[in-house]
Amino acid sequence: MTRLGQGKSWLMVGGCLSLIAALLHIGVIIGGPDWYRFFGAGEGMARMDERGLWQPMLMTIGIAAVLSVWALYAFAGADRFPKLPLMRTALVLISGIYLARGLLIVPIMIEPHARTAFNIWSSLIVLVYGLVHAVGTWLVWPALKPKPILSQKEAL
């Protein structure tokens, strides 16, 4: 398999991971307060949901929407969808955000009160997401080069 083919495979996996995360967030909304607690949203979010407040649902829908767009960018980088605006920039930012969140494992491991099973596992999972997106982006980078805009003379 070529470097480009490998990169597309990595981005397909990354897109699937982002999509799974988005669907899990929708599941949390459907599952209600117990799911907010289980997935680490915090007691405050669970209690707001129990009281019927709309903020937990809107925040969770927002996160699911962002993760869905990230999945779409990964799939577009893998040539499963047409190229999207700012492909390179978006894929680098997506990888960077996942990696930054995943690297929170370092302060979590240093700070005893932050060292919960949820914090450790979620950081490790998101670190893997970031690595998958970053490797895929790196491997397909040359193919993501924007096409030059034709001058008026060339267009004629």
Side-chain angles (χ1 to χ4, degrees):
M1 182 179 285
T2 66
R3 173 187 164 114
L4 181 60
Q6 289 173 343
K8 289 178 182 182
S9 295
W10 281 89
L11 285 175
M12 280 301 297
V13 171
C16 288
L17 291 173
S18 291
L19 192 56
I20 289 167
L23 292 172
L24 274 174
H25 280 80
I26 299 301
V28 166
I29 294 169
I30 294 166
D34 289 338
W35 281 48
Y36 279 102
R37 287 183 186 96
F38 179 79
F39 284 101
E43 190 59 30
M45 288 281 281
R47 287 189 179 169
M48 284 193 294
D49 191 58
E50 285 173 336
R51 292 193 313 257
L53 298 176
W54 52 268
Q55 289 94 331
M57 181 183 66
L58 283 183
M59 285 189 277
T60 308
I61 287 172
I63 293 168
V66 168
L67 292 168
S68 296
V69 169
W70 290 3
L72 188 59
Y73 265 92
F75 294 143
D79 280 340
R80 300 295 183 191
F81 286 96
K83 294 288 184 264
L84 298 168
L86 302 169
M87 281 295 299
R88 284 179 157 188
T89 303
L91 287 172
V92 168
L93 286 174
I94 292 164
S95 300
I97 292 168
Y98 275 138
L99 289 170
R101 169 56 185 89
L103 289 173
L104 284 178
I105 188 75
V106 175
I108 286 168
M109 296 309 288
I110 293 170
E111 199 59 44
H113 73 277
R115 208 176 306 143
T116 65
F118 174 81
N119 285 344
I120 293 168
W121 281 107
S122 63
S123 292
L124 291 173
I125 289 167
V126 174
L127 186 59
V128 169
Y129 278 41
L131 290 170
V132 168
H133 280 82
V135 169
T137 300
W138 177 64
L139 290 171
V140 302
W141 189 259
L144 297 176
K145 184 177 180 186
K147 297 198 180 354
I149 298 173
L150 298 176
S151 69
Q152 283 185 336
K153 283 184 178 179
E154 293 172 320
L156 297 175

